[in-house]
Amino acid sequence: MRVRTAGAAAAAALAVVAARDLMQKKHALLRNYPVVGHARYLLERVGPELRQYIVTSNEEERPFTRDQRTWVYASAKGENNYFGFGTDADVEHMQGHAYLKQRTFAEGLPGTQDPQAPLPSAKVLGGPRGRARAFRPASVVNISAMSFGSLSGAAVTALNKGAALAGAMHNTGEGGLSPHHRGGGDLVLQIGTAYFGCRDADGRFDLARLKDVVASGPVRAIEIKLSQGAKPGLGGMLPGAKVTPEIAEIRGIPVGKDCASPSRHTAFGDVDSMLDFVELVAAETGLPVGIKSAVGERDFWQELAALMARGDRGVDFVTVDGGEGGTGAAPLTFTDSVSLPFRMGFSRVYGTFAEQGLTDRLTFIGSGKLGLPENAAVAFALGADMVNVAREAMLSIGCIQSQKCHTDRCPTGIATQNPWLSRGVDPVSKADRAAAYLRTLRKELTKISGALGVAHPGLISPTDIEIMNGDYDARTLAGVYGYKDGWGELGPDLAAGIAAVMREQA
């Protein structure tokens, strides 16, 4: 009797669905194939998961392959991150793959047994320009800009505490310095076009408020964001529904009202006025001040380098963001087709400063999928002094690459403001994992440096790595990107200095 009742109820439900499908006019598929047509939408919905776990090979997925994610997960958990039986990559025919050329003999290499895996920067940030609060970053690997609002409070807390445990820095993102950033990690305060946290009631930059924010936390440097790789040249809209009292207080905006971020800065309008702004902020705070930008047209960089060559004004660091970098949400055209990929973009920027003889006078930071050892090594060979990691750091605290960041329905509670979902992130245990990942990446870079016969990744040269062109040709990074002799390498004094630092730590 119960079975017949259940069957009748199921049949009635299917009849209702069929009638609705036949009468609706929105979906032709459902109108022509009632009931069964829903299977198509179900498969479309779960398609990414099917491909991720069942269909694709270990090297196929994007943005991060299964092998890459496995390495990050294992590293974060302190598990065995080695792979057995050989590479999954088609090494004989893979075009564009980077190969690092090991040296047979080398002397004075650092050890890799220190569990903290210290790996300081070869350059003193802000030192060449005499900033009052110049310092040598303790880690060449740091956490990139991801705002509270884009990430949940629990995720930001975990990342900040993880940075503190690993002795790394944590970029606040343009959303301002929140309570979740105050877990002990040193901070890079990012200033975006909306000046969140340092703006007046009309949305203009407010120097006094900036100084108050800097004084309120362990801010070590200030980064002025011009653009980011995944969506350069775009402003943003924070819907009023998301402007909670907490976010309103942090960002300095009204509760419950839409807040538009302009696509460009209003405190300056050209390179000349930007340098005046940089020097003002540096003088008032004493901090190193730099810029972050994706790479498009070169006129900006050429003018910046030419003005800096005079010696009276300049940025302390440049963060170059590749077009393959991540974001919470962006139009597909921008993520796919606007701004250059990291290697090409960075090499153009570096070369522009190298032509002016300025590369030892500022710190180069790379971002855009550089949280993997091979990619990071290439960045250092091209002339980067530090790398910032974002999505890889998210993976370390539980991100599963579901690619739902833009929906506010992140299943792991990392890229969402949904209280129920974000409660799944335990900041204490996830902080340990973030720290373990950062340390492991530093240790891998130290191992790679040793294999190449140098004591520090900053000493890797663009001739130490070759880019394969199928199975018939290979060229060094220097040859591929048009580097001249000495480009991508530290000056003699800097090279000797960081070698001495590494010897002291051994």
Side-chain angles (χ1 to χ4, degrees), residues 6-25:
L14 289 175
V16 170
V17 172
R20 178 184 177 279
D21 290 346
L22 289 167
M23 295 176 65
Q24 60 84 35
K25 299 180 180 180

Side-chain angles (χ1 to χ4, degrees), residues 101-191:
K101 301 187 295 184
Q102 84 280 3
R103 286 190 175 92
T104 304
F105 302 108
E107 295 180 359
L109 300 181
T112 59
Q113 304 307 312
D114 189 331
Q116 189 67 4
L119 195 58
S121 172
K123 294 177 181 174
V124 175
L125 195 61
R129 297 208 56 78
R131 306 304 187 196
R133 297 169 64 182
F135 69 103
R136 185 189 298 275
S139 174
V140 298
V141 179
N142 299 289
I143 296 177
S144 194
M146 294 178 285
S147 302
F148 167 58
S150 176
L151 300 190
S152 66
V156 173
T157 299
L159 291 173
N160 187 261
K161 289 180 178 292
L165 292 171
M169 294 186 292
H170 183 194
N171 193 307
T172 64
E174 62 184 313
L177 201 168
S178 74
H180 310 288
H181 289 101
R182 302 178 188 275
D186 284 344
L187 300 173
V188 176
L189 178 67
Q190 188 179 83
I191 301 175

Side-chain angles (χ1 to χ4, degrees), residues 384-406:
D385 301 297
M386 297 192 292
V387 294
N388 287 344
V389 297
R391 287 171 295 177
E392 300 92 332
M394 292 169 62
L395 290 170
S396 77
I397 63 170
C399 169
I400 60 171
Q401 193 171 275
S402 66
Q403 298 180 295
K404 290 182 169 60
C405 315
H406 60 298

